Amino acid sequence: MTDSLTELLDTTDWSSVDPVQDLPAVITALHDLEGDQGVTDLHRAFSEALLPHVPARVQHSRVHRNSLTAVAMSPCGRFLATGSQPPNKRHADGGEIAIWDVESGRVVNAIYEIPDGVGAGDTKGCLQWAQDGSLLAAAYSTNTVGTFDPFDDRGGPLMCADLTDRWRRPPAFALSPDGSRICIACSGPTDGLPGATLPAQPGAELGPDHPDVQWFPPGDEGVEPWIEFVWDAGRIYGLNEEHSQAWSVDDETLAPQYLTTVHAPATYSPDGQWIAHNPAGLAIYDGQSGRATTRLPMIVGGTEMVWSPVAEQRRVALIVGPRNPFRVDPGVHIFDDGKLIATVHDEPIWNTSKLRDAPQFAFSDDGVRCALITAEDTAAIWTVEDGGSHLKNLAITPGATGLLWSDRGLVAIGEEQIQFLDVESGQSRGFHDLLPPAGLLEPLPGASSWVHALPGHRSYFPVADPTGWRWVIAGAEGLVVCEPRHEALLDETLVFSLAGGRLSWPWRWARGTATAPVITDPDEIDHPEIKGLWKVYLAQNTPDPTDAFTTLVLADHTDNSLIQRMTWGSKLETATFRTKPLNEYHAPNPLTGEEITAAALERWLGQPVLFSESSRPRTPHLVVISSVRNSRFDYFYRDPNGAGGTGTKDLNELRWIGEAKWCGPP
């Protein structure tokens, strides 16, 4: 292998290569070499020879600053799109879309400043790929649907449409198979069917009165807007299981084809040919006519359904959850053309995730294997052949609530975590926790010089270490600036994005070369703007020997104080602490998990503490503990607006808790 790669390196004119056509085989071979020998001099030699001649930029994976609200796997299975909303109380910043390479587990492109962010709550389908993978559509700013180029770092929507008249949730939508049109579910100007189609023409901004908007014609009364779409082979299919409706229209004339009654859970097959739903057990309807078929397995207790991605298999999984209304044994039953072919006997989790785009069950890309999240934080891998049998268990992140599978690997995903797995080896290709570590609040990157003065959009990103948040600059051309102790963390987030994100070149292959220099001494930085900003940052954030925690916060330092008398037992105490900005606090030694006990909290009676709840991990609380009893504690609080009061919190509701240390100006 080494000899053939060396010959390829020496005989190739790298200035004339076509990255998309010529590099995938090279990248695969170098991955195989790394698997055998680790990162070698040959990896660095390829990096130095190749990267200067192809469209390449350094991209970091710390894109999202809030929980994930939407995910979508590309049709080719190579890329995962994820969307999020703006950081808490920073709506002007906008949300983000990240494009991940599934094989490397790194972000290869990012789209920033999406107004009000992508999706909302538990709405399904707010990110969708065109069938050829060249276009991505998103619901954002609550009511707007727009298209984006997933491999263009200029960002911004190519076109957008807002037809819903200020709905409180994003509308369902679908791209036509060729990506030239969009169908949006919304109430029209008349009493017609609730929806419209419109051209996905670049540069267009369409409203309800735009002449290019083609509204559905009048139809049956009482038809509700769709909440799930399929557009395929001349038909648009939709359903609203909340109102027990499924219907179809011709995609050219928009003439209604049928309206039928369905019962949740319900879903169309990927090509719209079949509807699976649960009137009193699993039933399969004909998606062309909306009528019942003879395929009636009638297994009850279904709580969720997932179709195989291979349309011609007619394969669907009925998930029977642990709290199903029929109280039948949990498991997963897999049907092919209406016949039961396999049963997965592992118990599904009780899935309460809002991330509905990623169910807890996934078929492999060929529909032959399947994966299910279990209560033991594993993905149980089964084959559906010969009645079904268990193959292996893969360890996954405890925060995962859903699975996505392609020929490139398995993605275990939750609202706050993403993990990329090699199914065959069980190895993790990348893990990304979107939450701050215990004891730390969200970092606040500057909204002034840091955004606009550095090369590349949002080329800075935070990393956390025991002393708090620190910042790294990753210039698009390859220069990385960080403090010495953070060099080891860079490979977790950095990658060379090639050909606009269509390929990824591991940053670790180039590390240490002239192509990917790492600078830890400001005097060695050639770029004058970066040198100046970095020196200012270091001057502002040099650790004080008495308090090792430092942070970059460009917020107002308002000295609001809280002085409140509190009584417990016969003891009168006074607690004094500043109430804002909250981000100037941290908890240097927080308690987590089984460490959180009533006895452990006794030491902080009368003192300010920070805590975060498991159900709302991004919302920290600053309070003074007034008493501890059994498995709960009482507290007094005052928020930055001046309101105050008392409260009680159960210890088992906490994600972490610790003594609040002020780290702002004196």
Side-chain angles (χ1 to χ4, degrees):
M1 178 188 299
T2 303
D3 291 342
S4 59
L5 283 172
T6 301
E7 181 181 0
L8 178 65
L9 175 66
D10 295 338
T11 59
T12 301
D13 178 6
W14 297 106
S15 64
S16 62
V17 299
D18 181 333
V20 176
Q21 295 295 323
D22 301 333
L23 293 186
V26 176
I27 293 173
T28 298
L30 288 172
H31 272 296
D32 292 342
L33 177 62
E34 183 183 14
D36 292 337
Q37 302 180 27
V39 178
T40 67
D41 290 340
L42 198 54
H43 290 91
R44 298 183 177 89
F46 266 96
S47 299
E48 290 189 308
L50 169 67
L51 293 178
H53 299 292
V54 299
R57 68 178 186 276
V58 171
Q59 173 66 53
H60 67 81
S61 297
R62 303 290 177 88
V63 172
H64 293 296
R65 297 173 297 160
N66 208 334
S67 306
L68 298 182
T69 52
V71 300
M73 185 74 76
S74 67
C76 66
R78 291 178 53 197
F79 304 103
L80 174 71
T82 56
S84 61
Q85 294 187 332
N88 293 334
K89 301 180 180 179
R90 292 173 65 89
H91 287 278
D93 289 5
E96 297 88 19
I97 293 175
I99 308 298
W100 303 77
D101 177 74
V102 175
E103 196 162 24
S104 68
R106 305 289 189 274
V107 169
V108 288
N109 197 24
I111 304 170
Y112 295 103
E113 297 180 5
I114 299 171
D116 287 326
V118 177
D122 60 353
T123 304
K124 188 177 180 180
C126 290
L127 279 175
Q128 297 180 31
W129 293 81
Q131 288 189 7
D132 65 359
S134 64
L135 197 66
L136 187 67
Y140 63 94
S141 192
T142 306
N143 302 124
T144 303
V145 176
T147 60
F148 299 82
D149 186 337
F151 305 113
D152 183 353
D153 62 356
R154 290 176 298 178
L158 303 175
M159 57 78 59
C160 62
D162 184 352
L163 309 182
T164 64
D165 192 22
R166 299 181 182 180
W167 279 6
R168 294 184 179 180
R169 61 187 295 176
F173 67 92
L175 281 168
S176 63
D178 63 0
S180 65
R181 288 194 291 163
I182 300 177
C183 182
I184 300 177
C186 53
S187 301
T190 66
D191 293 331
L193 297 174
T197 63
L198 49 95
Q201 182 177 353
E205 296 184 12
L206 290 77
D209 299 326
H210 196 282
D212 288 340
V213 176
Q214 184 180 4
W215 293 97
F216 288 175
D220 295 311
E221 295 183 0
V223 179
E224 298 291 333
W226 299 341
I227 60 174
E228 185 177 327
F229 268 112
V230 174
W231 192 336
D232 192 74
R235 289 278 196 98
I236 305 174
Y237 309 88
L239 62 82
N240 186 326
E241 61 181 11
E242 295 176 3
H243 291 86
S244 303
Q245 295 176 346
W247 48 294
S248 174
V249 299
D250 181 275
D251 70 352
E252 289 294 337
T253 66
L254 303 188
Q257 303 299 301
Y258 64 80
L259 170 66
T260 191
T261 299
V262 295
H263 301 271
T267 185
Y268 273 95
S269 62
D271 58 359
Q273 296 296 307
W274 304 99
I275 315 170
H277 69 120
N278 283 260
L282 177 63
I284 308 295
Y285 277 21
D286 188 319
Q288 296 295 294
S289 66
R291 297 177 180 175
T293 70
T294 58
R295 299 171 178 85
L296 297 173
M298 296 304 291
I299 291 182
V300 300
T303 54
E304 193 172 4
M305 287 184 298
V306 178
W307 285 92
S308 164
V310 184
E312 56 268 21
Q313 286 180 333
R314 309 291 179 226
R315 188 167 290 173
V316 65
L318 178 69
I319 301 169
V320 178
R323 303 182 189 178
N324 65 82
F326 290 86
R327 299 182 180 181
V328 297
D329 291 339
V332 181
H333 306 286
I334 300 165
F335 301 89
D336 196 309
D337 201 25
K339 297 179 181 179
L340 180 65
I341 62 170
T343 296
V344 173
H345 296 288
D346 285 294
E347 181 172 323
I349 58 173
W350 175 246
N351 196 340
T352 58
S353 171
K354 294 181 179 180
L355 202 59
R356 295 186 61 206
D357 296 319
Q360 60 179 299
F361 176 93
F363 281 104
S364 60
D365 60 303
D366 59 5
V368 174
R369 290 178 293 172
C370 60
L372 173 71
I373 296 179
T374 71
E376 290 75 32
D377 296 325
T378 62
I381 310 298
W382 284 65
T383 178
V384 304
E385 296 180 326
D386 301 324
S389 60
H390 181 264
L391 299 177
K392 64 175 73 174
N393 286 333
L394 302 181
I396 60 174
T397 170
T401 56
L403 297 171
L404 299 165
W405 196 340
S406 75
D407 63 337
R408 305 285 170 148
L410 184 68
V411 183
I413 194 165
E415 294 174 71
E416 307 288 0
Q417 291 88 15
I418 306 177
Q419 184 180 21
F420 298 87
L421 294 156
D422 184 309
V423 177
E424 309 310 324
S425 68
Q427 296 298 311
S428 177
R429 295 170 173 167
F431 171 72
H432 305 272
D433 192 344
L434 306 184
L435 286 172
L440 291 181
L441 280 61
E442 302 283 355
L444 288 178
S448 54
S449 61
W450 281 84
V451 169
H452 301 294
L454 296 181
H457 195 41
R458 291 201 188 161
S459 52
Y460 59 91
F461 62 92
V463 296
D465 65 21
T467 66
W469 291 113
R470 308 294 283 181
W471 294 86
V472 174
I473 295 174
E477 75 288 351
L479 173 66
V480 176
V481 182
C482 67
E483 296 177 65
R485 64 181 179 274
H486 296 130
E487 280 192 72
L489 303 176
L490 296 180
D491 181 52
E492 297 176 6
T493 187
L494 294 181
V495 72
F496 274 96
S497 177
L498 310 184
R502 292 173 178 84
L503 297 169
S504 66
W505 188 272
W507 182 84
R508 62 185 177 274
W509 291 356
R511 179 183 177 186
T513 69
T515 308
V518 179
I519 305 297
T520 57
D521 183 348
D523 292 327
E524 297 178 5
I525 303 173
D526 293 331
H527 195 294
E529 290 180 331
I530 292 180
K531 178 184 288 187
L533 285 168
W534 195 250
K535 284 191 171 183
V536 170
Y537 164 70
L538 292 177
Q540 292 175 342
N541 294 281
T542 300
D544 188 317
T546 61
D547 186 354
F549 178 83
T550 61
T551 186
L552 176 66
V553 178
L554 303 181
D556 292 333
H557 301 288
T558 306
D559 291 343
N560 281 5
S561 296
L562 165 67
I563 302 176
Q564 174 67 29
R565 292 182 176 180
M566 295 171 295
T567 303
W568 49 85
S570 59
K571 191 175 182 181
L572 181 69
E573 294 286 352
T574 300
T576 304
F577 64 98
R578 308 178 190 213
T579 60
K580 70 179 182 181
L582 184 59
N583 282 77
E584 294 286 21
Y585 278 99
H586 80 298
N589 297 295
L591 304 177
T592 61
E594 296 181 356
E595 299 173 337
I596 303 175
T597 64
L601 266 59
E602 290 281 352
R603 76 186 88 161
W604 295 323
L605 279 172
Q607 297 183 34
V609 297
L610 282 173
F611 71 83
S612 170
E613 299 170 88
S614 299
S615 60
R616 295 191 301 165
R618 290 183 178 270
T619 305
H621 300 272
L622 177 64
V623 305
V624 173
I625 295 180
S626 57
S627 66
V628 181
R629 47 197 175 91
N630 298 326
S631 61
R632 63 183 60 187
F633 67 94
D634 301 313
Y635 59 84
F636 178 89
Y637 72 91
R638 178 166 292 165
D639 63 30
N641 297 321
T646 59
T648 299
K649 187 63 58 180
D650 288 339
L651 301 186
N652 59 14
E653 297 178 17
L654 302 182
R655 176 172 172 256
W656 57 263
I657 186 170
E659 183 180 4
K661 292 289 188 180
W662 172 257
C663 55

